[in-house]
């Protein structure tokens, strides 16, 4: 923690010993839009730090994904709750203000507040409470994706609002004492846009749940129970929502007019209708829709390799899941997946175009993986590593915080 951040003296070398069990830690997560990766991380943070609830805004579910830790809706504790609830549904426009109005003294004598996401950074805590933010990314439409929609009507009309929200976002940054970033990409964005240092803490992945017996069984997907099981290992797999930002169209085109099978599994997203029609027409491309966690792990275990085309992904769990299943992943060279994959060791990179994806497939088919052990690349993403590192970081930063004054 720098002197610029706190306005206090330099770090005192002799810091008091502190254990997580001795600290009262509260967890706050920005508005929950569904049980996705960020919510699962918030649940893991709460479990690791022994928090009994997760404070959030207008949660659609009772608990944080697979975690048993309940949500607590802060809107219930604010005045004019119906108005606040209506504001919350306008998304980020009012959410900074909602978090500013939460009085943390109402929730007991808190030692550390860990916020997850961009908007809870606006909290105004008592001066003896340490505020740590787990950053999934600075708001992308304010910063690194600001120019992506500059040619659209929505992009042009919405720019004044985005400029206002960017100013609002920057104004709350100094209320955070320390940042934890979910990947080196996010640590770089924090330095670039906020001039803040961050420690990288990868999201936890339950590595032990992924099967490495690929090729030993056939796969049947319940989304289409009448489909006959296929021989194991004869298909490439794309996992994730069918969103434009996931580069689905290029993946589909990469397999068009080839004899290689592509299986897509994930919820329907915002891809154009003609892309879905293309999927339905191609004889070697199959869309299985949403699949359960167990079905996903079976598909991973039995695929030939995973194709991933997310552009500038903050973290991207799919390549990690592929390697945890001892499968190669062919990833877009941008973002963290491009950093994670070592050519020929646990996968190959491509430029996101159909031609680039086909080239990566050809390299994989020709050369395979150097040592045949893709799983060796994912040990740093284990739940145990996450828990040990998180406890150490929180305890260490709190000790430094106490020693300053």
């Amino acid at each position: 923690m720098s002197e610029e951040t706190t306005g206090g003296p330099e770090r005192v070398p002799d810091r008091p010993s502190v254990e997580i069990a001795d600290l009262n830690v509260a967890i706050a997560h920005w508005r929950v839009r569904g049980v996705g990766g960020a919510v699962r991380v918030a649940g893991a943070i709460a479990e690791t730090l022994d928090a009994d609830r997760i404070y959030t805004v207008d949660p659609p579910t009772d608990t944080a994904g697979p975690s048993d830790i309940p949500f607590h809706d802060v809107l219930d504790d604010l005045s004019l709750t119906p108005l606040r609830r209506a504001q919350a549904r306008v998304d980020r426009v009012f959410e900074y203000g909602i978090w500013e109005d939460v009085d943390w003294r109402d929730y007991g004598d808190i030692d550390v507040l860990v916020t997850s996401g961009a908007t809870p950074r606006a909290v105004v805590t008592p001066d003896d409470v340490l505020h740590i933010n787990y950053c999934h990314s600075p708001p992308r439409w304010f910063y690194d994706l600001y120019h992506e929609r500059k040619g659209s009507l929505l992009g042009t009309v919405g720019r004044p609002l985005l400029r206002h929200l960017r100013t609002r976002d920057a104004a709350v940054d100094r209320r955070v004492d320390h940042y934890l970033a979910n990947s080196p990409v996010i640590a770089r964005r924090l330095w670039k846009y906020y001039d803040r240092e961050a420690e990288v803490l990868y999201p936890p992945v339950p590595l032990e749940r992924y099967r490495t017996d690929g090729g030993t069984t056939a796969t049947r997907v319940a989304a289409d129970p009448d489909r006959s099981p296929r021989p194991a290992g004869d298909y490439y797999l794309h996992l994730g929502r069918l969103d434009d930002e996931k580069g689905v169209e290029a993946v589909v085109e990469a397999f068009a007019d080839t004899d290689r099978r592509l299986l897509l599994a994930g919820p329907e997203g915002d891809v154009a209708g003609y892309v879905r029609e293309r999927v339905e027409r191609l004889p070697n491309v199959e869309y299985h829709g949403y699949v359960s966690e167990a079905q996903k792990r079976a598909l991973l275990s039995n695929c030939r390799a995973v194709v991933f085309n997310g552009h500038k992904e903050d973290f991207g769990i799919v390549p990690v899941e592929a390697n945890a299943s001892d499968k190669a992943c062919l990833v877009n060279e941008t973002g963290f997946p491009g950093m994670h994959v070592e050519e020929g060791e646990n996968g190959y990179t491509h430029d996101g175009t159909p031609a680039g994806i086909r080239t990566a497939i050809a390299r994989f088919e020709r050369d395979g993986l150097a040592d045949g052990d893709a799983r060796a690349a994912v040990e740093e993403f284990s739940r145990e590593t996450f828990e040990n590192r998180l406890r150490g970081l929180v305890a260490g930063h709190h000790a430094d915080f106490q020693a300053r004054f």
Side-chain angles (χ1 to χ4, degrees):
M1 181 165 51
S2 67
E3 181 175 351
E4 181 183 0
T5 300
T6 66
E10 293 293 337
R11 175 179 294 185
V12 178
D14 297 326
R15 63 189 190 182
S17 176
V18 64
E19 299 291 337
I20 290 298
D22 299 328
L23 298 176
N24 185 4
V25 181
I27 313 297
H29 181 71
W30 60 352
R31 182 168 178 248
V32 178
R33 296 166 180 81
V35 181
V39 173
R40 291 186 172 90
V41 171
I45 292 173
E47 290 174 339
T48 302
L49 301 179
D50 298 323
D52 61 358
R53 68 189 68 183
I54 299 172
Y55 298 94
T56 190
V57 173
D58 200 22
T61 58
D62 294 329
T63 59
S67 169
D68 292 330
I69 296 178
F71 287 124
H72 179 87
D73 189 354
V74 297
L75 296 180
D76 292 337
D77 305 317
L78 298 179
S79 60
L80 302 175
T81 296
L83 174 61
R84 303 280 193 158
R85 206 168 293 285
Q87 289 177 333
R89 290 189 171 89
V90 185
D91 205 30
R92 210 161 286 176
V93 175
F94 295 101
E95 199 171 336
Y96 290 99
I98 289 172
W99 285 109
E100 281 180 331
D101 288 346
V102 175
D103 189 344
W104 292 97
R105 298 173 301 177
D106 294 340
Y107 302 127
D109 187 13
I110 296 172
D111 298 304
V112 180
L113 175 65
V114 179
T115 56
S116 168
T119 53
R121 293 159 47 245
V123 296
V124 179
T125 61
D127 60 12
D128 59 349
V129 173
L130 176 69
H131 178 188
I132 297 174
N133 177 258
Y134 190 91
C135 185
H136 306 283
S137 178
R140 302 200 64 187
W141 293 112
F142 301 175
Y143 299 106
D144 64 298
L145 296 182
Y146 178 66
H147 294 290
E148 293 294 314
R149 294 178 178 172
K150 60 185 177 183
S152 69
L153 177 61
L154 177 62
T156 301
V157 173
R159 288 203 160 210
L161 177 60
L162 288 181
R163 294 185 187 112
H164 164 72
L165 290 174
R166 186 190 302 116
T167 302
R168 190 83 166 92
D169 180 73
V172 306
D173 165 61
R174 290 299 171 182
R175 299 176 196 174
V176 177
D177 298 311
H178 291 282
Y179 278 106
L180 305 179
N182 70 0
S183 76
V185 171
I186 301 309
R188 183 175 64 199
R189 289 179 193 163
L190 285 166
W191 174 82
K192 173 66 176 179
Y193 300 121
Y194 301 148
D195 192 23
R196 298 293 298 275
E197 299 294 334
E199 288 126 339
V200 174
L201 177 64
Y202 293 120
V205 181
L207 302 179
E208 70 283 354
R209 299 181 185 176
Y210 292 89
R211 292 164 40 186
T212 57
D213 61 345
T216 63
T217 61
T219 300
R220 181 188 292 274
V221 180
D224 189 358
D226 296 326
R227 185 186 298 279
S228 299
R230 299 281 190 165
D234 75 334
Y235 61 87
Y236 283 81
L237 178 64
H238 178 278
L239 283 176
R241 188 181 298 276
L242 299 190
D243 281 343
D244 185 61
E245 67 180 16
K246 300 297 183 182
V248 174
E249 180 177 1
V251 173
V252 172
E253 288 305 316
F255 283 82
D257 301 321
T258 73
D259 58 358
R260 304 199 185 281
R261 290 181 61 228
L262 171 67
L263 192 155
L264 303 115
E268 293 191 30
D270 62 7
V271 294
Y274 69 84
V275 177
R276 288 296 312 274
E277 292 172 3
R278 181 78 161 143
V279 169
E280 293 171 1
R281 289 198 308 268
L282 290 172
N284 61 324
V285 178
E286 304 166 13
Y287 174 52
H288 287 267
Y290 172 82
V291 295
S292 69
E293 284 294 311
Q295 293 164 344
K296 178 184 73 175
R297 290 192 289 269
L299 290 171
L300 281 165
S301 179
N302 289 286
C303 72
R304 189 162 184 77
V306 171
V307 181
F308 184 82
N309 198 26
H311 181 61
K312 294 184 178 179
E313 283 282 330
D314 311 333
F315 176 70
I317 195 173
V318 170
V320 176
E321 292 177 319
N323 290 165
S325 304
D326 204 23
K327 300 296 181 180
C329 196
L330 315 180
V331 305
N332 190 302
E333 62 193 2
T334 64
F336 179 66
M339 295 181 175
H340 167 67
V341 166
E342 296 289 338
E343 299 287 335
E345 297 294 325
N346 59 326
Y348 292 91
T349 61
H350 56 77
D351 63 5
T353 66
I357 295 170
R358 283 193 292 268
T359 298
I361 292 171
R363 293 178 65 196
F364 170 68
E365 292 288 343
R366 183 186 68 228
D367 301 329
L369 300 183
D371 59 8
D373 184 14
R375 188 178 172 88
V378 297
E379 293 307 318
E380 62 186 329
F381 304 105
S382 71
R383 176 67 180 250
E384 181 181 9
T385 298
F386 172 85
E387 291 180 347
N388 291 337
R389 182 159 166 76
L390 176 61
R391 291 191 188 103
L393 287 168
V394 172
H397 285 313
H398 185 266
D400 288 345
F401 184 66
Q402 284 188 311
R404 280 180 170 272
F405 300 101

